[in-house]
Amino acid sequence: APRRSLSMPNHQCVRWTALSLMLVQNSAFVLVMRHSRKQQQSQAAQYNVAVVVVLQELFKLLFCVGVTGAQSRSLGAALHSLRSSPAALARIALPAACFTLQNNVLYVALSNLHPLVFQISYQLKTLLTAALSALLLRKSFSRQQWLSQVLLAAGVVLTQVSEGQPHDEGAHEARSAPLGLAAVLVAASSSAFASVYFERILKDRPRDADGGRAENSLWRRNIELSTWTVPMNGLLALLQSSPSTPLSDPLRGFERSTWALIAVNGFGGLLVAVVIKYADNIWKGFATAGAILLTGLLAPLLELGPPPNALLLLGAALVVASVLLYAATPPPPHRTAARAVLLPARVAT
């Protein structure tokens, strides 16, 4: 039996702390990014989105290297998986490209959608992940879980219908709801595909000679991913900069909200590691539902979106119910219990 590192009271304390932070971070990620994008619309010099994402990924990379080095008491051991398995590292390139696409188009989505509308619509990644898991991993889901996906789809449709209704907002704010929805669909699709593909890679990955699975630790998987996402986003930053003076001022347009966004997103990706270790899907479902409610409450107070209308409230209620139903439903009794596989910690869980 595995050795318990924490007593039960401490375990519960860590669980509640991690899930509370996850709830706040999921909401803060949306609100801070929306605030940052609104600020940029009134600025002559706007920041390079890919540079922001590079800094997010560097934050995660350095932290994961530090944690892995502390666990093994050797910085060289933290990079062992990169040196010892170049073929496995090469297989990470595709999900890394998907995560790169996801992290960049999220900025497009939140430039064109109100926070609560985005928060609800982005839950489509759950539906897409379930569908891809059934197709590619042969996973089975209960009727209640598929019902939850129907509720989710209905909630998202109502949310988009509510976006078509007139809102009382400043005339200076240029938004395109169809463009925002398209960006959400791209981000949700790339996130779902990357997660399922990554899970398949981990299931196919052989054990170490001693039978351990050290290479599959969350921290080392993030190191592997970051070795791809940092240069990929760096290339995007070069392509988005002026051809005559590429990245001559990489921090152009940065404001306090930009640095806050980097910190919130970087912290959120690392927080997933703790949540995965100490909580199950039910608890994570409560955190996701709570983040939707918190975003809906704070967005109008912070003048980041209009008060929700009846359709948006109904859509939010359906999505919250969908998240809780999906998380609380046990797997089908005929299915063999699947070996737990940890997915990579990335933005906007």
Side-chain angles (χ1 to χ4, degrees):
R3 178 176 56 87
R4 291 183 180 272
S5 57
L6 288 175
S7 64
M8 185 58 66
N10 287 337
H11 187 283
Q12 292 290 343
C13 181
V14 171
R15 171 188 288 176
W16 277 104
T17 301
L19 288 168
S20 299
L21 290 174
M22 181 181 178
L23 186 157
V24 172
Q25 189 279 333
N26 281 353
S27 181
F29 149 70
V30 176
L31 296 173
V32 173
M33 185 180 287
R34 177 60 182 158
H35 173 64
S36 175
R37 298 311 292 165
K38 283 190 69 174
Q39 279 189 325
Q40 289 290 295
Q41 291 176 356
S42 60
Q43 300 295 327
Q46 299 188 3
Y47 58 68
N48 187 318
V49 169
V51 171
V52 178
V53 180
V54 166
L55 294 177
Q56 293 172 194
E57 295 301 306
L58 280 174
F59 178 89
K60 297 174 189 175
L61 175 61
L62 294 176
F63 190 93
C64 292
V65 168
V67 170
T68 307
Q71 289 177 342
S72 58
R73 299 186 179 183
S74 169
L75 187 60
L79 305 175
H80 172 71
S81 61
L82 304 183
R83 300 194 306 265
S84 61
S85 55
L89 183 61
R91 298 180 67 186
I92 303 297
L94 181 55
C98 292
F99 284 126
T100 298
L101 175 62
Q102 170 201 359
N103 284 332
N104 281 272
V105 298
L106 285 178
Y107 286 81
V108 179
L110 274 163
S111 297
N112 293 279
L113 294 176
H114 292 305
L116 183 57
V117 173
F118 167 83
Q119 187 83 286
I120 294 172
S121 303
Y122 194 48
Q123 300 310 311
L124 279 173
K125 66 180 184 288
T126 305
L127 171 60
L128 296 173
T129 301
L132 288 174
S133 296
L135 290 173
L136 301 180
L137 301 179
R138 304 297 182 184
K139 284 189 175 181
S140 57
F141 298 92
S142 66
R143 292 181 179 178
Q144 289 85 352
Q145 286 177 316
W146 285 119
L147 174 61
S148 74
Q149 301 310 298
V150 174
L151 292 177
L152 172 61
V156 171
V157 169
L158 288 177
T159 299
Q160 296 306 315
V161 172
S162 74
E163 267 291 272
Q165 298 186 349
H167 295 289
D168 183 17
E169 56 185 344
H172 65 279
E173 185 180 1
R175 295 191 309 114
S176 171
L179 177 60
L181 177 60
V184 166
L185 291 174
V186 171
S189 300
S190 59
S191 174
F193 176 79
S195 297
V196 173
Y197 182 87
F198 205 95
E199 181 173 347
R200 185 165 185 171
I201 288 177
L202 293 177
K203 286 184 175 181
D204 293 340
R205 184 175 290 188
R207 292 176 179 263
D208 288 337
D210 60 357
R213 313 192 77 91
E215 80 282 8
N216 284 348
S217 77
L218 190 76
W219 307 113
R220 291 192 177 183
R221 292 205 310 279
N222 272 286
I223 293 174
E224 293 174 348
L225 281 167
S226 295
T227 57
W228 286 106
T229 56
V230 170
M232 285 177 177
N233 282 288
L235 178 59
L236 281 179
L238 284 173
L239 294 176
Q240 293 175 12
S241 61
S242 172
S244 57
T245 56
L247 294 181
S248 58
D249 184 10
L251 301 184
R252 183 189 67 172
F254 272 48
E255 303 179 66
R256 283 182 294 180
S257 62
T258 315
W259 293 108
L261 180 59
I262 293 170
V264 168
N265 286 351
F267 175 72
L270 301 171
L271 182 61
V272 173
V274 182
V275 173
I276 285 177
K277 183 175 182 180
Y278 292 103
D280 55 22
N281 283 332
I282 297 177
W283 289 86
K284 287 183 284 184
F286 276 112
T288 301
I292 293 174
L293 298 177
L294 184 61
T295 300
L297 175 65
L298 293 180
L301 297 178
L302 299 175
E303 299 183 351
L304 296 176
N309 55 33
L311 280 178
L312 186 54
L313 287 174
L314 179 57
L318 288 176
V319 171
V320 168
S322 164
V323 170
L324 297 179
L325 178 61
Y326 183 86
T329 304
H334 65 274
R335 188 180 70 175
T336 302
R339 176 172 50 83
V341 177
L342 303 182
L343 296 182
R346 274 304 181 259
V347 174
T349 50

